Amino acid sequence: MRLFLFCLFFIGLYIQATAQKVDTQTEIIELATIFHNNHVKGSPDESTLEKLKNIKSKELVFSKKFILEIITEQNSIISEPFLTKPDTTDLKNIYIISRLNHKMFGSENVSLFDELAILRAEKTPYNELVNFYYDLIFSLAENKNKGLTFEKINFNLDEFNLSNDVEKGIFFLNCMNIYYSGIKFFMDYNKPPKMKEAKEYINKYPKFNGKEYYNYKSLAFQDFVFRLDKRKPKESFKQHYINIYLQVLFYNYVLLVDANDHEQTELYEHSILSQKEYWKFSTEPEVFEELYKMTN
């Protein structure tokens, strides 16, 4: 009799654990669906808020907070609770939720549960998870925050649980990445370039560790590969992000042509524009070689 009761006890534990696992899977898909339907415009309606409230998995506490914040208008996604790097489980769950969101845009008839199983089993490199997380934050911040500007923000990279120069570089380059399209619009897509507007735009760049953005040079970490486009092979992180960052710096340098020589010299000498080891990541290294000749 005791053996029978003992078996029943462990069968009950197994059923309970299995049910919890199924619940978590279902709730991940629910979060992905909520994100998919609400991440572009507007704020979640009452029915969506009720769905979020009903998500009970302990594993998804942070993911639930994150999704609620990022789909809400005039949110605080650019704040310490979310800019602080979460733990590995939370990084992976945010990654999965966003990847499931991408699948929902596809025309193919896929089972989200099958896709979820694939993503959970995937051995995603840690640096890719960190990069995916900060890319998501900075690329979507403007969607729900009208008139968002970082001009009065100082990002102290020692305050966000970033473990090393790789993770700090990921944070920095993803933040600066969002300024590329804006400065390019003023400088390249308008003939003649809108210099005044471009200068005003640059003045909205944030500071890092209490200094102007261009002073940040801790980018000599080991490169890694990541997937920018699911239809293409993985590519070099530095080839993508440092190439863009060098262009942002170059536009800034050009816009200082009417300023005094000291400002241009300071930007050049205190940024990676003057460091040859980074030019190889540019799609136009000859531009920086010529700039070097002009300044030496």
Side-chain angles (χ1 to χ4, degrees):
M1 183 67 178
R2 286 183 180 179
L3 179 60
F4 176 72
L5 292 174
F6 186 75
C7 291
L8 280 179
F9 173 74
F10 277 97
I11 290 171
L13 287 179
Y14 174 79
I15 292 171
Q16 184 179 13
T18 303
Q20 175 62 35
K21 184 177 180 181
V22 171
D23 285 344
T24 299
Q25 291 176 339
T26 301
E27 290 183 348
I28 287 175
I29 291 173
E30 182 71 272
L31 280 173
T33 304
I34 290 170
F35 178 63
H36 178 78
N37 292 332
N38 295 275
H39 74 277
V40 179
K41 293 181 180 179
S43 281
D45 58 22
E46 287 301 319
S47 65
T48 300
L49 293 176
E50 188 63 27
K51 289 176 183 176
L52 280 166
K53 184 179 178 181
N54 290 332
I55 290 174
K56 304 296 185 183
S57 172
K58 292 181 180 179
E59 182 184 325
L60 299 175
V61 170
F62 177 79
S63 297
K64 177 180 171 179
K65 290 179 181 177
F66 181 89
I67 296 302
L68 174 59
E69 195 67 33
I70 210 164
I71 65 174
T72 301
E73 284 192 325
Q74 299 306 116
N75 60 50
S76 299
I77 201 69
I78 305 297
S79 64
E80 187 270 339
F82 300 105
L83 292 178
T84 298
K85 184 190 66 175
D87 65 27
T88 306
T89 298
D90 291 329
L91 285 172
K92 184 65 181 283
N93 283 333
I94 296 295
Y95 170 80
I96 289 171
I97 288 165
S98 186
R99 288 284 302 274
L100 289 174
N101 162 60
H102 293 159
K103 275 292 179 183
M104 293 178 198
F105 284 108
S107 57
E108 66 270 23
N109 185 19
V110 297
S111 164
L112 292 178
F113 280 100
D114 289 345
E115 189 64 24
L116 173 59
I118 292 169
L119 288 169
R120 297 200 88 174
E122 178 184 292
K123 304 297 183 183
T124 316
Y126 187 73
N127 287 341
E128 281 194 69
L129 293 177
V130 175
N131 183 61
F132 198 93
Y133 180 74
Y134 287 112
D135 172 66
L136 192 63
I137 285 181
F138 287 114
S139 63
L140 292 182
E142 289 184 297
N143 280 5
K144 298 299 180 98
N145 294 283
K146 189 175 181 180
L148 178 67
T149 175
F150 294 166
E151 63 181 311
K152 295 181 180 180
I153 292 181
N154 170 49
F155 292 114
N156 185 337
L157 299 184
D158 292 324
E159 295 180 350
F160 301 131
N161 192 35
L162 302 167
S163 304
N164 49 46
D165 282 349
V166 181
E167 294 174 12
K168 291 175 182 178
I170 288 171
F171 184 109
F172 173 79
L173 290 170
N174 271 289
C175 181
M176 293 310 301
N177 188 56
I178 67 175
Y179 291 101
Y180 173 64
S181 59
I183 195 65
K184 189 175 179 66
F185 171 78
F186 293 122
M187 297 294 286
D188 287 353
Y189 296 156
N190 287 275
K191 304 297 180 185
K194 293 186 175 182
M195 305 290 277
K196 179 183 176 182
E197 290 84 351
K199 289 177 182 178
E200 291 173 353
Y201 187 72
I202 279 179
N203 288 334
K204 296 179 180 179
Y205 289 1
K207 291 183 178 180
F208 292 86
N209 302 332
K211 297 181 180 180
E212 298 297 334
Y213 81 95
Y214 55 77
N215 286 280
Y216 191 81
K217 294 187 286 188
S218 300
L219 300 172
F221 52 81
Q222 186 173 351
D223 196 10
F224 62 93
V225 293
F226 78 112
R227 193 176 305 282
L228 179 66
D229 186 330
K230 67 178 182 179
R231 297 164 299 182
K232 298 178 181 178
K234 289 187 177 185
E235 60 182 276
S236 158
F237 172 83
K238 288 189 172 183
Q239 200 77 50
H240 178 75
Y241 283 97
I242 291 182
N243 171 53
I244 289 174
Y245 179 52
L246 282 168
Q247 291 181 65
V248 170
L249 286 169
F250 183 72
Y251 285 130
N252 199 162
Y253 182 86
V254 170
L255 286 165
L256 291 173
V257 70
D258 294 329
N260 61 59
D261 291 341
H262 172 72
E263 289 184 60
Q264 261 197 336
T265 301
E266 181 177 338
L267 173 65
Y268 185 78
E269 292 183 350
H270 288 80
S271 73
I272 65 169
L273 281 178
S274 60
Q275 298 188 312
K276 296 181 180 180
E277 62 267 32
Y278 295 108
W279 301 348
K280 64 185 177 183
F281 298 115
S282 171
T283 53
E284 299 178 289
E286 65 278 3
V287 170
F288 303 101
E289 292 168 6
E290 287 300 315
L291 186 58
Y292 176 80
K293 292 175 184 178
M294 290 169 53
T295 54
N296 287 272

